[in-house]
Amino acid sequence: MDALSDLLDGVRARGALFSRSVMNPPWSVRFDHGSPLTLVTMVRGGAWIVPDRGEPVALAEGDTAILRGPGSHAVAHPADAPVTCTVLAGNSCLGPDGVPLTEEADLGLRTYGDSPDSADLLLSGHYEVSGDLSQRLVSALPPVLVVPGDECHDWLRDLITAEIDCPAPGQQLVLDRLLDLALITMLRAWFDRPGARPPAWYTAMDDPVVGRALRLMHNLPAHPWTVALLAERCGVSRATLARDFRSLVGVPPMTYLADWRVGRAADLLRGTDTTVEAIARRVGYSNAFALSAAFKRLRGTTPTEHRRGGGTPTASRSTAADAADLVGASTGPVG
Protein backbone atom coordinates (compact mmCIF):
# COMPACT_ATOMS: atom_id res chain seq x y z
CA MET A 1 0.00 0.00 0.00
CA ASP A 2 1.00 3.63 -0.47
CA ALA A 3 -0.55 7.00 0.25
CA LEU A 4 -2.42 7.23 -3.07
CA SER A 5 -3.86 3.72 -2.68
CA ASP A 6 -5.04 4.45 0.85
CA LEU A 7 -6.56 7.79 -0.11
CA LEU A 8 -8.38 6.34 -3.12
CA ASP A 9 -9.86 3.46 -1.14
CA GLY A 10 -13.06 5.39 -0.39
CA VAL A 11 -13.56 6.71 -3.93
CA ARG A 12 -16.06 4.66 -5.95
CA ALA A 13 -17.70 5.22 -9.32
CA ARG A 14 -21.45 5.22 -9.69
CA GLY A 15 -22.62 5.07 -13.32
CA ALA A 16 -24.52 8.10 -14.55
CA LEU A 17 -27.75 7.65 -16.47
CA PHE A 18 -26.21 8.89 -19.71
CA SER A 19 -22.62 7.73 -19.81
CA ARG A 20 -22.25 8.67 -23.48
CA SER A 21 -23.47 11.88 -25.07
CA VAL A 22 -23.45 12.26 -28.89
CA MET A 23 -24.33 15.74 -30.11
CA ASN A 24 -23.98 18.35 -32.80
CA PRO A 25 -23.10 21.92 -31.77
CA PRO A 26 -24.46 23.92 -30.11
CA TRP A 27 -24.85 21.77 -26.98
CA SER A 28 -24.12 21.91 -23.27
CA VAL A 29 -24.28 19.11 -20.70
CA ARG A 30 -24.47 20.42 -17.16
CA PHE A 31 -23.38 18.16 -14.29
CA ASP A 32 -25.39 19.15 -11.24
CA HIS A 33 -25.49 15.84 -9.36
CA GLY A 34 -23.44 17.00 -6.38
CA SER A 35 -20.81 14.28 -6.70
CA PRO A 36 -17.33 15.30 -5.51
CA LEU A 37 -15.63 14.01 -8.68
CA THR A 38 -16.76 13.72 -12.29
CA LEU A 39 -14.66 12.27 -15.11
CA VAL A 40 -15.30 13.25 -18.73
CA THR A 41 -13.50 12.13 -21.90
CA MET A 42 -13.85 13.85 -25.26
CA VAL A 43 -13.83 10.80 -27.54
CA ARG A 44 -14.68 12.75 -30.68
CA GLY A 45 -14.80 16.44 -31.47
CA GLY A 46 -14.04 19.16 -28.95
CA ALA A 47 -15.69 21.21 -26.23
CA TRP A 48 -15.15 23.55 -23.30
CA ILE A 49 -15.37 22.86 -19.59
CA VAL A 50 -17.36 25.70 -18.06
CA PRO A 51 -17.17 25.79 -14.25
CA ASP A 52 -19.57 27.84 -12.17
CA ARG A 53 -16.58 29.98 -11.23
CA GLY A 54 -13.53 30.63 -13.34
CA GLU A 55 -12.72 30.70 -17.03
CA PRO A 56 -13.67 27.97 -19.54
CA VAL A 57 -11.05 25.29 -20.15
CA ALA A 58 -10.57 23.75 -23.61
CA LEU A 59 -11.19 20.01 -24.00
CA ALA A 60 -9.71 18.65 -27.23
CA GLU A 61 -10.39 15.31 -28.87
CA GLY A 62 -8.93 12.52 -26.73
CA ASP A 63 -8.54 14.68 -23.62
CA THR A 64 -9.84 13.52 -20.25
CA ALA A 65 -10.82 15.89 -17.45
CA ILE A 66 -11.58 15.42 -13.77
CA LEU A 67 -14.04 17.94 -12.36
CA ARG A 68 -14.07 18.50 -8.60
CA GLY A 69 -17.05 19.61 -6.55
CA PRO A 70 -18.64 21.25 -4.75
CA GLY A 71 -20.33 23.25 -7.44
CA SER A 72 -21.61 22.47 -10.90
CA HIS A 73 -19.72 22.16 -14.17
CA ALA A 74 -20.85 22.20 -17.76
CA VAL A 75 -19.18 20.74 -20.82
CA ALA A 76 -20.27 22.72 -23.86
CA HIS A 77 -19.60 23.40 -27.53
CA PRO A 78 -19.28 26.35 -27.88
CA ALA A 79 -18.56 27.53 -24.34
CA ASP A 80 -21.61 29.81 -24.25
CA ALA A 81 -24.05 27.24 -25.64
CA PRO A 82 -27.40 26.98 -23.82
CA VAL A 83 -27.88 23.96 -21.58
CA THR A 84 -29.35 21.03 -23.49
CA CYS A 85 -29.10 18.43 -20.71
CA THR A 86 -28.71 18.62 -16.92
CA VAL A 87 -27.45 15.52 -15.11
CA LEU A 88 -28.86 15.29 -11.59
CA ALA A 89 -28.41 12.93 -8.68
CA GLY A 90 -30.34 9.68 -8.68
CA ASN A 91 -29.66 8.89 -12.34
CA SER A 92 -32.05 11.50 -13.68
CA CYS A 93 -31.57 14.03 -16.47
CA LEU A 94 -33.47 17.13 -17.45
CA GLY A 95 -33.89 18.53 -20.94
CA PRO A 96 -33.46 22.20 -21.91
CA ASP A 97 -36.99 22.92 -20.72
CA GLY A 98 -36.25 21.58 -17.24
CA VAL A 99 -38.40 18.48 -17.53
CA PRO A 100 -37.13 14.87 -17.51
CA LEU A 101 -35.75 13.74 -20.83
CA THR A 102 -37.97 11.49 -22.89
CA GLU A 103 -37.20 8.43 -24.96
CA GLU A 104 -36.69 10.61 -28.04
CA ALA A 105 -33.27 11.57 -26.65
CA ASP A 106 -32.31 7.94 -26.07
CA LEU A 107 -29.95 6.54 -28.72
CA GLY A 108 -29.39 3.20 -27.07
CA LEU A 109 -27.90 1.77 -23.91
CA ARG A 110 -26.55 4.64 -21.77
CA THR A 111 -26.40 6.91 -24.80
CA TYR A 112 -28.05 10.31 -25.20
CA GLY A 113 -27.97 12.84 -28.01
CA ASP A 114 -28.88 13.83 -31.52
CA SER A 115 -27.71 10.90 -33.65
CA PRO A 116 -24.98 8.21 -33.43
CA ASP A 117 -22.85 9.97 -36.05
CA SER A 118 -23.01 13.43 -34.46
CA ALA A 119 -19.82 15.49 -34.49
CA ASP A 120 -19.10 15.37 -30.74
CA LEU A 121 -18.99 12.31 -28.48
CA LEU A 122 -18.51 12.69 -24.72
CA LEU A 123 -18.07 9.93 -22.13
CA SER A 124 -18.86 10.74 -18.51
CA GLY A 125 -19.04 9.12 -15.11
CA HIS A 126 -19.16 10.34 -11.55
CA TYR A 127 -17.74 9.19 -8.24
CA GLU A 128 -18.86 9.05 -4.66
CA VAL A 129 -16.27 9.83 -2.00
CA SER A 130 -16.60 8.38 1.48
CA GLY A 131 -14.30 8.66 4.43
CA ASP A 132 -11.98 11.24 5.86
CA LEU A 133 -8.87 10.03 4.04
CA SER A 134 -10.41 10.06 0.57
CA GLN A 135 -11.76 13.55 1.19
CA ARG A 136 -8.16 14.65 1.67
CA LEU A 137 -7.31 13.52 -1.84
CA VAL A 138 -10.29 15.36 -3.30
CA SER A 139 -9.40 18.56 -1.46
CA ALA A 140 -5.85 18.40 -2.87
CA LEU A 141 -7.13 18.54 -6.47
CA PRO A 142 -7.84 21.69 -8.48
CA PRO A 143 -11.45 22.35 -9.54
CA VAL A 144 -10.60 21.26 -13.10
CA LEU A 145 -7.66 19.16 -14.26
CA VAL A 146 -7.13 18.02 -17.84
CA VAL A 147 -4.93 15.17 -19.07
CA PRO A 148 -4.12 15.60 -22.79
CA GLY A 149 -5.14 12.83 -25.12
CA ASP A 150 -1.59 11.78 -25.94
CA GLU A 151 -1.03 11.05 -22.23
CA CYS A 152 -4.24 9.05 -21.77
CA HIS A 153 -4.71 5.32 -22.23
CA ASP A 154 -6.67 4.62 -25.42
CA TRP A 155 -7.18 0.98 -24.44
CA LEU A 156 -9.01 1.99 -21.26
CA ARG A 157 -11.26 4.41 -23.11
CA ASP A 158 -12.02 1.68 -25.64
CA LEU A 159 -12.90 -0.76 -22.87
CA ILE A 160 -15.32 1.71 -21.31
CA THR A 161 -16.91 2.46 -24.69
CA ALA A 162 -17.30 -1.25 -25.43
CA GLU A 163 -18.83 -1.92 -22.02
CA ILE A 164 -21.44 0.79 -22.51
CA ASP A 165 -22.60 -1.15 -25.57
CA CYS A 166 -22.66 -4.47 -23.68
CA PRO A 167 -26.05 -5.25 -22.07
CA ALA A 168 -24.67 -8.29 -20.24
CA PRO A 169 -25.42 -9.08 -16.58
CA GLY A 170 -23.18 -7.15 -14.22
CA GLN A 171 -22.60 -4.35 -16.71
CA GLN A 172 -23.03 -1.61 -14.13
CA LEU A 173 -20.42 -3.15 -11.84
CA VAL A 174 -17.91 -3.66 -14.67
CA LEU A 175 -18.42 -0.11 -15.91
CA ASP A 176 -18.01 1.34 -12.45
CA ARG A 177 -14.77 -0.56 -11.87
CA LEU A 178 -13.45 0.60 -15.24
CA LEU A 179 -14.26 4.16 -14.23
CA ASP A 180 -12.38 3.59 -10.96
CA LEU A 181 -9.37 2.45 -12.99
CA ALA A 182 -9.73 5.48 -15.24
CA LEU A 183 -9.64 7.82 -12.25
CA ILE A 184 -6.48 6.24 -10.85
CA THR A 185 -4.63 6.28 -14.16
CA MET A 186 -5.69 9.85 -14.95
CA LEU A 187 -4.60 11.11 -11.53
CA ARG A 188 -1.21 9.46 -11.87
CA ALA A 189 -0.78 10.89 -15.36
CA TRP A 190 -1.72 14.37 -14.19
CA PHE A 191 0.43 14.24 -11.05
CA ASP A 192 3.44 13.34 -13.21
CA ARG A 193 2.89 16.10 -15.77
CA PRO A 194 5.39 18.98 -15.97
CA GLY A 195 3.98 21.99 -14.18
CA ALA A 196 1.46 20.00 -12.15
CA ARG A 197 1.32 20.58 -8.42
CA PRO A 198 0.61 17.18 -6.87
CA PRO A 199 0.41 16.77 -3.08
CA ALA A 200 3.80 16.71 -1.37
CA TRP A 201 3.35 13.12 -0.22
CA TYR A 202 2.94 11.97 -3.82
CA THR A 203 6.26 13.30 -5.06
CA ALA A 204 7.92 12.19 -1.82
CA MET A 205 6.97 8.57 -2.63
CA ASP A 206 9.70 8.57 -5.31
CA ASP A 207 12.43 9.35 -2.80
CA PRO A 208 14.23 6.12 -1.77
CA VAL A 209 14.35 7.12 1.90
CA VAL A 210 11.24 9.21 2.50
CA GLY A 211 9.15 7.02 0.21
CA ARG A 212 10.12 3.95 2.23
CA ALA A 213 9.25 5.72 5.48
CA LEU A 214 5.83 6.66 4.11
CA ARG A 215 5.16 3.09 3.01
CA LEU A 216 6.15 1.76 6.42
CA MET A 217 3.68 4.12 8.09
CA HIS A 218 0.88 3.20 5.69
CA ASN A 219 1.51 -0.54 5.77
CA LEU A 220 2.00 -0.76 9.54
CA PRO A 221 0.21 2.17 11.18
CA ALA A 222 -0.14 0.29 14.49
CA HIS A 223 3.61 -0.24 14.84
CA PRO A 224 5.19 1.84 17.64
CA TRP A 225 7.16 3.99 15.24
CA THR A 226 9.67 6.58 16.31
CA VAL A 227 11.89 8.70 14.08
CA ALA A 228 14.86 6.62 15.20
CA LEU A 229 13.15 3.34 14.32
CA LEU A 230 11.97 4.61 10.94
CA ALA A 231 15.47 5.87 10.20
CA GLU A 232 16.94 2.50 11.08
CA ARG A 233 14.52 0.71 8.76
CA CYS A 234 15.34 3.19 5.99
CA GLY A 235 19.09 2.84 6.45
CA VAL A 236 19.84 6.46 7.36
CA SER A 237 20.47 8.51 10.46
CA ARG A 238 17.66 9.97 12.52
CA ALA A 239 18.73 13.50 11.59
CA THR A 240 18.81 12.67 7.87
CA LEU A 241 15.33 11.18 7.87
CA ALA A 242 13.87 14.04 9.91
CA ARG A 243 15.45 16.63 7.61
CA ASP A 244 14.55 14.96 4.31
CA PHE A 245 11.03 14.03 5.40
CA ARG A 246 10.17 17.55 6.43
CA SER A 247 11.74 18.97 3.28
CA LEU A 248 9.74 16.71 0.95
CA VAL A 249 6.46 16.18 2.82
CA GLY A 250 6.24 19.53 4.58
CA VAL A 251 5.84 18.24 8.13
CA PRO A 252 7.97 16.12 10.48
CA PRO A 253 7.53 12.31 10.36
CA MET A 254 5.69 12.08 13.67
CA THR A 255 3.31 14.88 12.72
CA TYR A 256 2.42 13.05 9.52
CA LEU A 257 2.01 9.78 11.40
CA ALA A 258 -0.26 11.26 14.06
CA ASP A 259 -2.46 12.92 11.44
CA TRP A 260 -2.60 9.73 9.35
CA ARG A 261 -3.52 7.56 12.35
CA VAL A 262 -6.31 9.91 13.39
CA GLY A 263 -7.59 10.01 9.80
CA ARG A 264 -7.72 6.22 9.66
CA ALA A 265 -9.47 6.17 13.02
CA ALA A 266 -12.03 8.70 11.75
CA ASP A 267 -12.90 6.43 8.83
CA LEU A 268 -13.19 3.37 11.06
CA LEU A 269 -15.39 5.22 13.53
CA ARG A 270 -17.87 6.20 10.80
CA GLY A 271 -17.59 3.04 8.71
CA THR A 272 -17.64 0.28 11.34
CA ASP A 273 -19.15 -0.52 14.71
CA THR A 274 -15.75 -1.51 16.14
CA THR A 275 -15.18 -0.20 19.65
CA VAL A 276 -13.07 2.90 20.19
CA GLU A 277 -10.64 0.80 22.22
CA ALA A 278 -10.15 -1.66 19.35
CA ILE A 279 -9.80 1.14 16.80
CA ALA A 280 -7.22 2.84 18.98
CA ARG A 281 -5.03 -0.25 19.01
CA ARG A 282 -5.59 -0.86 15.32
CA VAL A 283 -4.24 2.56 14.33
CA GLY A 284 -1.36 2.65 16.81
CA TYR A 285 -2.59 4.07 20.11
CA SER A 286 -2.26 2.16 23.35
CA ASN A 287 -5.88 2.67 24.45
CA ALA A 288 -9.07 4.63 23.82
CA PHE A 289 -7.95 7.46 26.09
CA ALA A 290 -4.77 8.00 24.04
CA LEU A 291 -6.76 8.04 20.79
CA SER A 292 -9.28 10.45 22.29
CA ALA A 293 -6.49 12.82 23.31
CA ALA A 294 -5.02 12.74 19.80
CA PHE A 295 -8.45 13.16 18.20
CA LYS A 296 -9.26 16.13 20.40
CA ARG A 297 -5.90 17.72 19.70
CA LEU A 298 -6.03 17.32 15.92
CA ARG A 299 -9.78 17.48 15.23
CA GLY A 300 -11.24 19.52 18.04
CA THR A 301 -13.73 16.75 18.87
CA THR A 302 -13.77 13.30 20.44
CA PRO A 303 -14.00 9.93 18.71
CA THR A 304 -17.49 9.36 20.15
CA GLU A 305 -18.72 12.73 18.90
CA HIS A 306 -17.24 12.05 15.50
CA ARG A 307 -18.94 8.65 15.29
CA ARG A 308 -22.30 10.18 16.17
CA GLY A 309 -21.81 12.87 13.54
CA GLY A 310 -21.93 15.55 16.20
CA GLY A 311 -19.42 18.04 17.49
CA THR A 312 -17.82 20.80 15.49
CA PRO A 313 -14.43 19.52 14.38
CA THR A 314 -11.92 22.11 13.30
CA ALA A 315 -9.56 21.90 10.37
CA SER A 316 -6.61 23.16 12.39
CA ARG A 317 -3.76 20.90 13.33
CA SER A 318 -1.36 20.94 16.21
CA THR A 319 2.11 22.32 15.82
CA ALA A 320 4.90 19.98 14.87
CA ALA A 321 6.17 19.94 18.43
CA ASP A 322 2.73 19.26 19.89
CA ALA A 323 2.07 16.44 17.44
CA ALA A 324 5.46 14.86 18.07
CA ASP A 325 4.91 15.07 21.82
CA LEU A 326 1.43 13.59 21.42
CA VAL A 327 2.66 10.59 19.45
CA GLY A 328 5.53 9.99 21.81
CA ALA A 329 3.29 10.14 24.87
CA SER A 330 0.28 8.22 23.62
CA THR A 331 1.65 5.56 21.30
CA GLY A 332 2.88 2.37 22.78
CA PRO A 333 3.17 -1.30 21.98
CA VAL A 334 -0.10 -2.67 20.73
CA GLY A 335 -1.25 -6.22 20.97
Side-chain angles (χ1 to χ4, degrees):
M1 294 290 286
D2 55 43
L4 183 60
S5 298
D6 279 344
L7 291 169
L8 278 168
D9 189 54
V11 181
R12 290 290 182 267
R14 296 293 181 268
L17 176 60
F18 296 119
S19 292
R20 180 168 53 184
S21 302
V22 191
M23 297 155 292
N24 287 311
W27 59 266
S28 174
V29 176
R30 183 173 180 82
F31 297 96
D32 200 18
H33 44 55
S35 295
L37 291 175
T38 300
L39 183 142
V40 296
T41 297
M42 202 74 225
V43 178
R44 184 170 70 237
W48 294 84
I49 300 167
V50 186
D52 274 354
R53 299 176 182 177
E55 296 297 317
V57 178
L59 193 65
E61 184 170 313
D63 290 356
T64 293
I66 296 175
L67 317 177
R68 175 177 64 82
S72 302
H73 296 80
V75 181
H77 184 189
D80 59 354
V83 174
T84 53
C85 171
T86 301
V87 182
L88 302 175
N91 283 347
S92 62
C93 291
L94 304 179
D97 52 2
V99 300
L101 288 172
T102 62
E103 293 183 359
E104 284 74 17
D106 192 348
L107 297 177
L109 194 62
R110 301 178 183 276
T111 302
Y112 154 84
D114 300 325
S115 67
D117 58 353
S118 294
D120 299 326
L121 194 162
L122 180 75
L123 293 181
S124 64
H126 62 276
Y127 302 82
E128 293 181 0
V129 178
S130 63
D132 180 270
L133 297 179
S134 295
Q135 290 289 350
R136 293 189 194 188
L137 174 64
V138 173
S139 65
L141 301 177
V144 177
L145 65 89
V146 177
V147 179
D150 58 2
E151 299 177 25
C152 298
H153 298 286
D154 291 341
W155 60 268
L156 182 54
R157 181 190 64 201
D158 293 342
L159 280 175
I160 295 174
T161 303
E163 189 61 33
I164 292 174
D165 288 327
C166 178
Q171 186 218 37
Q172 181 67 64
L173 181 61
V174 173
L175 184 59
D176 286 348
R177 296 295 75 79
L178 286 173
L179 288 171
D180 289 341
L181 180 59
L183 177 64
I184 296 169
T185 56
M186 291 307 122
L187 284 178
R188 290 196 306 194
W190 184 78
F191 283 161
D192 292 337
R193 294 195 72 226
R197 299 181 61 186
W201 49 259
Y202 183 83
T203 54
M205 295 297 293
D206 288 334
D207 184 83
V209 173
V210 176
R212 177 165 173 75
L214 286 167
R215 288 182 176 88
L216 287 170
M217 295 180 191
H218 282 260
N219 287 332
L220 301 168
H223 195 76
W225 295 115
T226 62
V227 177
L229 184 55
L230 283 168
E232 179 183 345
R233 294 286 294 272
C234 294
V236 296
S237 69
R238 182 182 185 279
T240 297
L241 176 62
R243 181 195 65 230
D244 292 353
F245 195 100
R246 182 159 193 164
S247 174
L248 293 176
V249 181
V251 295
M254 293 297 99
T255 302
Y256 182 92
L257 180 60
D259 192 56
W260 183 253
R261 283 170 165 167
V262 169
R264 285 180 61 94
D267 282 355
L268 291 169
L269 287 163
R270 288 279 176 86
T272 73
D273 57 2
T274 307
T275 66
V276 176
E277 181 75 21
I279 290 174
R281 291 179 173 273
R282 183 170 172 179
V283 302
Y285 291 94
S286 55
N287 52 47
F289 177 79
L291 173 61
S292 183
F295 222 93
K296 188 71 173 178
R297 179 77 63 90
L298 297 177
R299 298 300 184 88
T301 188
T302 67
T304 301
E305 290 170 342
H306 176 80
R307 168 167 273 172
R308 292 173 178 169
T312 54
T314 64
S316 62
R317 298 180 181 178
S318 63
T319 64
D322 286 343
D325 289 342
L326 177 62
V327 173
S330 62
T331 307
V334 290

